[in-house]
Amino acid sequence: MTNRYAAGLFILMMFTALLTACWDRTEMNELALVSMVGVDSDPESNKITVYYQIINPLSGTSAKGTSGGEQAPVYTYEISGSSFGEIKSTIYKMLPRKLFMAHCKVLLVSQRAAKQDMRDIVNFIEMQPNGRSSVPMLIVDGSISQVMRTLTPLERVPSDTIDSRLDLLIRNSLLVGKQIKVSDVIERMEKSDTIVLPLITGMTEAPSSNSGERSADIDANQNNFIIRGGAVFRDYRMAGKLNDTQLVWYHLLNGDRGRHVRQFQVEGKQVSVELRLVRIKREVFWKSDQPVVRIRMDLELSTAYTIESVPKSRNEVERLENRLNQIIADESLAFYQMIRERGWDLLSINDLLRKQTPNHPDIDQAAKNAQIEIRANTRLLRTGSMSQPYGGTR
Amino acid sequence: MKPMISRFQFYLLTINYILGTTLFVLIGRLVVQAGQDAWLMPLWAGSFGILVGLFWIFLFRYYPGKSLVQIPLEAWGRYLGTLVSVLYFLYFCILAGWVLRNLSDFLNGTIMPETPKTVFHVMFLLVAFYTVAQGTEAIGRLNQIITPFLFFPFWFVLLLAMVNWDWGRLQPAFHSGLGTILQYHSFLGFPYMETIALTILFPLVKQGATRPFLLGLMTTSVSLSMTLFMIIGLLGVERASQLTFPVYTTVQEISIGEVIVNIHSIISIILLILIFIKLLVLVYGASETLRQVFRPKTRWPHFLGLTILLSATALSIYENPIQNEEWDEKYTFIYDSFFVLLIPFLLLVTTWVKRTFEKRKGG
C-alpha cells in the first residue's frame, strides 16, 4: 500500500514538473502587441526598414488618477537590417517586450519596396508561426515613415482606423475590393494574376506624433492619411497605378458588390446614380481560334442620391437605364483597352481561359488576343425619399 | 481472449487512428501531388486500403481468436514465430516513435516553440500507458466518448472558415492525370497500410471486426477527401501546397467580425487528441505483443522500458521534417509492404501448404 501511495505521489510530482505551458508562457505584461507593420526597403543599399506600431497599454483605458490617458495610444519602432530575420533579432536593441504579431491588423509597404519585389515580404509574413496572412496589405504613396507616425482622429489606434475604413470602402464604394489580404496577394501572384491593392497617402508634410496636439486640432484632414487610388501588381512587383475612376470599372468588372455613387452625363444633364452589381457572368467561347470573353453585368440602380433630376415616367426610367447601359459598357471597354495596352491582365482572363480550356497549348498568347464583349443591364429599383428635388420658383 | 469492445467502438477507433497524424502531415503534400484534384486521392488510396484489409481478414479467418503476433507462432513455430512477432513489436515501436515526433514537430512549429520535444513525448506516453494499463475496454470507451468532441468542433470550425470559400480554386476539375495520382504510392503506406496495428484488436471485437474495420476505412477516406476539398476551396492550391500545416492555417485565418478571431487553438487540441488516439493504438500494439509473446507476470517494468525506448526513438528517428518527408516519399511504401503484405502473404502460403498437407495426410 505504501508503495502505491509513493508511486502515486511520484507521478503527481512528475506531472507538475512537466507542465509544458511554463516554457511557452505568454504574460500579457511582457508582450509588445503589434497593431500595424510597415516595410520599406532601399533599392540602392538593399537595406530593409521595418516599422512596428505597438499598442501602448497605459494609454486611454488607464485607471482614474493615473497620467496614462494622455500618452500616445501607439508607439512606432523603426528598425533596419539586411534581412527580416535579422530585424527580428535586433528589434530587442530598442524594444523591452516580446514582439507579438498575432494581433497585427494591417501591413503597409512603401512604394519603392513594392516596385522592387514583394516576395520576401509575403514570405516573411506567411512563415511566422504566429503571424496572420489574413491582414490587408496597403501600399504607401509617399513617405511610409510619415504614415507610420501619424495619429488618426476618432479611432485611437491607426490600424483600427485603416481596418474600418477599408471595410466601409468595400461596402460603400467600388474603390477597394475584397481581395487585398496578404493571403490573396500570395494566391493571385502564384497564379500569375494581376491584382490591385489600395494606396494610402499621408495628408500633411509635417507629421505629428504628439497626441496632445492631435486632440487639440479640429481639422480631421490635417495630420491624417487617406486611402486613394490603387497599385497594380504583377509577379510580386508594383507595375503601375489606377486612379479612382479606373478603380470603379476594375472592381465592377471583377464582381465586387459595393454600392457606388457616380455622376453620369445623361441627355446633357448630370445625374448621380448609385450602382450595385447584382450578378456577373463571364463566358468564353472560341471564334476561329481566338477566345471571345463575354461579360454580362446585371446592375441595380438607385436614385436615392440624385439631387439633379429624378425620372418621372416609365419612359424616362427606360431612357435612363438604356443610356447607362451604354455608358457603362463603353467606359468598361475603354478601361479594358487601357489595361490591355499596358499588358495588365486585371480581368483575370488568363485564369478564366486556364479553367475553361486547361489543355490549350499557349494560354498566355490566347489571353492577350482575347476579344472582349461587355454588356450591362441596369434596372432602377430604388428611389430616394423625394420624388422630385426642390427647385424653388424659378 | 474475451471480446471486449463493441463494433461501433472499433469503427470509431479505426477512423481516428487513420486520421491521426494524416490531417496535418499529409494534406499539403497531397495538394502538391494532385493540385485541385487532390480530394480524389483519398478515395482511390482508401480503395487500396480496403483491399489490403480484406487480405488480412482472409488470413485471420484461418486463425479465429488469434492476433497478428500469435499467428506466426502457430504457423511457423516458436523460434521463427517469436522472431517475426518481435519484428512486429519493433515496427509498432517505430511507428509510435514517428507519431510522437510528428506531434512534437507540430507543437514546436505552431504554439509552443520553446518547449523541449522530450517533454511532449514523455507526457503523451505516460498518459497513453496509463490508458493501456486500464485495458482494451478503456481504450474503446475513451475513444467513443471523445469522438463527438473531435468531430463537431472540427467541422464547425471549417464551416466558420467558409467565408473565404471560392469555387474557382477547384477548377479545372479532373484535370490531373491519373498517372500523377497513382504515382504517389507513399500515401498507400501512410496512413492506410499502418492500419495493421489495429489488427491486434481484431479478436477483441464483439461480433467480429470485419465490418467495422472496412466501414471505418471507407468513412475515413470520404472524410479525408472532404477535408481536402475544403482546404483547397478555402486556401487554394497555391497556398495549400506551400504551407506546412494547411488545416491549421485555414483555421488561423478565420476572422468573423471582431469576436471570432484566433480560434486555431481548437484545431490544435483536436489534432493533438487524434494523434493521441493513434499513439494509444500503437502503444497498445507494442505492449500487447510483448505480453502475448513473452507472457510476463508484471507489466509495469515493460511500460517503463517502453516509455524510455519510445521517447528516445521519437527524438532520434529523424533530424528534421525534411528528412521525414524524404523518407516518407521514397521508402514508406516498400518498408510498410514488408510487414503489411509480405509477411501476411508468407503466412497465408504456409497455412495453405500446411492445410493441404494435413488434408492429404488425413485423407
Side-chain angles (χ1 to χ4, degrees):
Chain A
M1 243 1 217
T2 331
N3 276 351
R4 275 198 154 189
Y5 279 121
L9 206 64
F10 174 72
I11 289 170
L12 269 179
M13 280 166 66
M14 284 276 287
F15 278 110
T16 49
L18 295 173
L19 282 174
T20 46
C22 296
W23 272 280
D24 288 280
R25 73 192 190 286
T26 39
E27 286 285 342
M28 272 297 280
N29 291 336
E30 293 166 9
L31 293 181
L33 302 174
V34 179
S35 73
M36 185 154 88
V37 174
V39 182
D40 184 20
S41 95
D42 186 357
E44 281 164 26
S45 60
N46 271 333
K47 207 166 193 183
I48 300 164
T49 307
V50 179
Y51 300 84
Y52 289 105
Q53 200 165 78
I54 285 157
I55 292 173
N56 175 10
L58 292 175
S59 163
T61 50
S62 60
K64 224 178 177 184
T66 58
S67 58
E70 284 154 25
Q71 291 183 19
V74 286
Y75 292 119
T76 301
Y77 287 82
E78 177 188 335
I79 186 118
S80 299
S82 54
S83 78
F84 289 102
E86 195 188 307
I87 286 168
K88 266 250 163 156
S89 311
T90 50
I91 180 75
Y92 298 114
K93 285 179 187 170
M94 299 176 75
L95 189 68
R97 292 177 172 213
K98 195 177 165 197
L99 207 60
F100 187 75
M101 295 284 289
H103 288 301
C104 174
K105 279 192 166 167
V106 178
L107 171 68
L108 299 185
V109 178
S110 75
Q111 210 177 122
R112 60 176 184 177
K115 278 182 178 158
Q116 230 176 313
D117 197 347
M118 294 217 304
R119 244 168 281 246
D120 288 350
I121 301 170
V122 295
N123 278 333
F124 174 65
I125 298 285
E126 186 89 322
M127 257 180 186
Q128 299 180 94
N130 62 358
R132 286 154 66 90
S133 308
S134 51
V135 296
M137 188 164 176
L138 291 96
I139 309 303
V140 182
D141 192 3
S143 156
I144 186 166
S145 97
Q146 184 199 335
V147 172
M148 286 305 294
R149 293 195 176 102
T150 303
L151 284 171
T152 49
L154 283 181
E155 296 291 338
R156 288 183 66 81
V157 178
S159 65
D160 285 346
T161 188
I162 297 182
D163 199 40
S164 107
R165 279 191 221 175
L166 288 174
D167 208 35
L168 290 166
L169 280 168
I170 289 169
R171 263 188 273 164
N172 297 315
S173 81
L174 284 168
L175 301 174
V176 177
K178 270 186 174 171
Q179 295 189 317
I180 51 168
K181 296 193 280 275
V182 177
S183 54
D184 295 320
V185 174
I186 298 168
E187 194 186 342
R188 308 273 303 272
M189 290 293 107
E190 292 292 321
K191 275 201 287 196
S192 42
D193 278 5
T194 309
I195 60 163
V196 175
L197 294 178
L199 281 164
I200 186 167
T201 320
M203 301 266 286
T204 41
E205 285 306 308
S208 164
S209 58
N210 181 345
S211 62
E213 195 180 300
R214 170 79 262 179
S215 62
D217 184 7
I218 193 173
D219 187 357
N221 280 15
Q222 285 295 313
N223 298 329
N224 199 346
F225 40 68
I226 184 168
I227 296 171
R228 178 170 57 193
V232 179
F233 276 86
R234 219 169 44 174
D235 195 24
Y236 292 106
R237 277 193 180 86
M238 183 172 158
K241 284 186 198 174
L242 292 184
N243 61 29
D244 282 353
T245 323
Q246 291 163 336
L247 278 175
V248 172
W249 302 122
Y250 164 70
H251 287 123
L252 207 56
L253 289 168
N254 277 291
D256 285 318
R257 283 174 163 72
R259 295 176 184 279
H260 191 84
V261 182
R262 196 171 178 273
Q263 217 174 31
F264 294 95
Q265 185 91 20
V266 179
E267 294 170 354
K269 281 183 277 181
Q270 295 284 358
V271 187
S272 302
V273 185
E274 188 188 70
L275 308 168
R276 193 181 75 91
L277 186 70
V278 182
R279 205 173 294 111
I280 185 162
K281 208 172 168 192
R282 290 153 42 118
E283 290 171 311
V284 183
F285 56 92
W286 294 77
K287 211 155 68 183
S288 56
D289 271 358
Q290 194 185 11
V292 180
V293 180
R294 183 177 285 160
I295 302 176
R296 212 190 130 87
M297 295 183 282
D298 289 345
L299 296 143
E300 187 185 294
L301 302 181
S302 160
T303 53
Y305 299 98
T306 312
I307 51 162
E308 296 92 352
S309 130
V310 182
K312 286 186 252 343
S313 65
R314 205 179 129 185
N315 262 346
E316 276 186 36
V317 170
E318 250 173 48
R319 277 217 304 277
L320 175 76
E321 285 174 353
N322 289 339
R323 184 73 195 114
L324 286 181
N325 289 348
Q326 195 56 46
I327 295 175
I328 292 169
D330 288 351
E331 290 202 22
S332 316
L333 208 60
F335 169 73
Y336 173 72
Q337 297 298 353
M338 187 275 292
I339 55 170
R340 187 172 153 144
E341 273 164 32
R342 297 188 191 178
W344 299 340
D345 181 24
L346 283 173
L347 304 191
S348 305
I349 291 172
N350 211 316
D351 192 42
L352 193 69
L353 292 182
R354 191 179 56 81
K355 279 174 190 160
Q356 303 235 345
T357 48
N359 297 323
H360 193 279
D362 191 358
I363 286 182
D364 288 342
Q365 196 53 41
K368 271 181 199 152
N369 295 335
Q371 256 187 34
I372 294 278
E373 287 177 20
I374 299 172
R375 278 181 206 167
N377 177 32
T378 58
R379 287 181 71 197
L380 178 66
L381 295 180
R382 295 176 194 214
T383 55
S385 41
M386 286 166 86
S387 57
Q388 209 51 51
Y390 301 117
T393 51
R394 265 180 297 148
Chain B
M1 265 183 281
K2 219 171 77 196
M4 285 171 203
I5 52 176
S6 72
R7 276 181 166 192
F8 185 62
Q9 284 170 346
F10 188 63
Y11 166 73
L12 294 180
L13 204 59
T14 310
I15 296 174
N16 288 347
Y17 175 86
I18 306 174
L19 288 179
T21 37
T22 318
L23 274 183
F24 69 92
V25 174
L26 212 57
I27 300 284
R29 273 187 257 156
L30 293 179
V31 179
V32 173
Q33 191 64 23
Q36 67 277 17
D37 292 332
W39 56 278
L40 291 170
M41 292 180 74
L43 301 178
W44 73 265
S47 320
F48 173 82
I50 288 170
L51 276 180
V52 177
L54 284 169
F55 167 60
W56 298 331
I57 288 160
F58 190 57
L59 172 71
F60 275 75
R61 286 271 157 94
Y62 286 103
Y63 299 93
K66 293 267 186 259
S67 78
L68 181 74
V69 287
Q70 289 166 324
I71 296 172
L73 288 172
E74 197 170 313
W76 291 341
R78 205 173 138 207
Y79 294 108
L80 193 59
T82 309
L83 181 74
V84 173
S85 302
V86 168
L87 279 180
Y88 273 115
F89 164 75
L90 292 174
Y91 178 61
F92 295 150
C93 284
I94 283 176
L95 287 184
W98 225 296
V99 170
L100 279 171
R101 183 57 184 272
N102 286 161
L103 165 102
S104 53
D105 278 348
F106 171 66
L107 281 171
N108 270 174
T110 53
I111 36 178
M112 296 192 192
E114 305 286 335
T115 313
K117 288 187 186 316
T118 309
V119 174
F120 299 122
H121 302 159
V122 174
M123 292 305 290
F124 266 73
L125 282 170
L126 281 179
V127 186
F129 277 115
Y130 177 72
T131 322
V132 168
Q134 301 303 310
T136 326
E137 226 169 349
I139 296 174
R141 283 188 186 169
L142 168 81
N143 184 55
Q144 187 179 9
I145 291 169
I146 238 166
T147 305
F149 296 101
L150 305 177
F151 178 83
F152 292 108
F154 181 80
W155 288 106
F156 178 67
V157 167
L158 276 192
L159 285 177
L160 279 182
M162 288 295 276
V163 279
N164 299 326
W165 183 267
D166 179 7
W167 279 107
R169 290 177 176 139
L170 289 147
Q171 289 169 344
F174 308 112
H175 187 59
S176 335
L178 198 63
T180 48
I181 294 184
L182 292 174
Q183 262 173 18
Y184 199 66
H185 51 73
S186 71
F187 187 33
L188 306 176
F190 166 68
Y192 287 102
M193 278 150 90
E194 288 179 6
T195 46
I196 196 157
L198 283 165
T199 60
I200 285 283
L201 287 158
F202 270 18
L204 300 171
V205 183
K206 290 175 198 161
Q207 297 166 302
T210 313
R211 262 171 61 189
F213 182 64
L214 297 179
L215 270 177
L217 274 165
M218 263 185 245
T219 315
T220 318
S221 303
V222 173
S223 165
L224 273 177
S225 171
M226 274 162 66
T227 311
L228 271 162
F229 191 78
M230 289 196 72
I231 296 299
I232 298 165
L234 294 171
L235 282 182
V237 174
E238 292 76 21
R239 288 186 66 219
S241 57
Q242 310 266 14
L243 293 167
T244 325
F245 306 116
V247 180
Y248 183 77
T249 308
T250 311
V251 179
Q252 204 175 21
E253 281 176 10
I254 297 174
S255 75
I256 298 172
E258 293 286 306
V259 193
I260 302 173
V261 282
N262 289 330
I263 50 168
H264 41 276
S265 47
I266 297 179
I267 212 80
S268 303
I269 303 289
I270 295 170
L271 292 177
L272 291 189
I273 296 174
L274 280 174
I275 301 164
F276 176 71
I277 303 287
K278 181 159 185 177
L279 180 73
L280 199 58
V281 173
L282 290 166
V283 161
Y284 177 81
S287 73
E288 202 51 20
T289 310
L290 284 185
R291 197 182 68 83
Q292 288 175 12
V293 178
F294 299 105
R295 301 207 185 99
K297 274 185 191 146
T298 48
R299 298 186 70 191
W300 74 265
H302 279 175
F303 290 160
L304 185 66
L306 275 172
T307 308
I308 297 167
L309 174 75
L310 292 180
S311 61
T313 313
L315 208 59
S316 56
I317 195 153
Y318 55 79
E319 269 184 9
N320 49 45
I322 301 160
Q323 276 185 0
N324 177 32
E325 196 176 325
E326 196 174 336
W327 165 273
D328 196 34
E329 265 167 27
K330 284 189 183 158
Y331 311 112
T332 299
F333 182 72
I334 310 162
Y335 174 68
D336 283 344
S337 298
F338 177 75
F339 295 97
V340 170
L341 299 175
L342 184 69
I343 298 182
F345 176 72
L346 292 178
L347 282 170
L348 202 62
V349 171
T350 328
T351 313
W352 277 337
V353 172
K354 264 180 145 177
R355 297 271 156 120
T356 335
F357 197 63
E358 274 165 20
K359 247 187 211 168
R360 234 182 252 170
K361 226 178 169 182

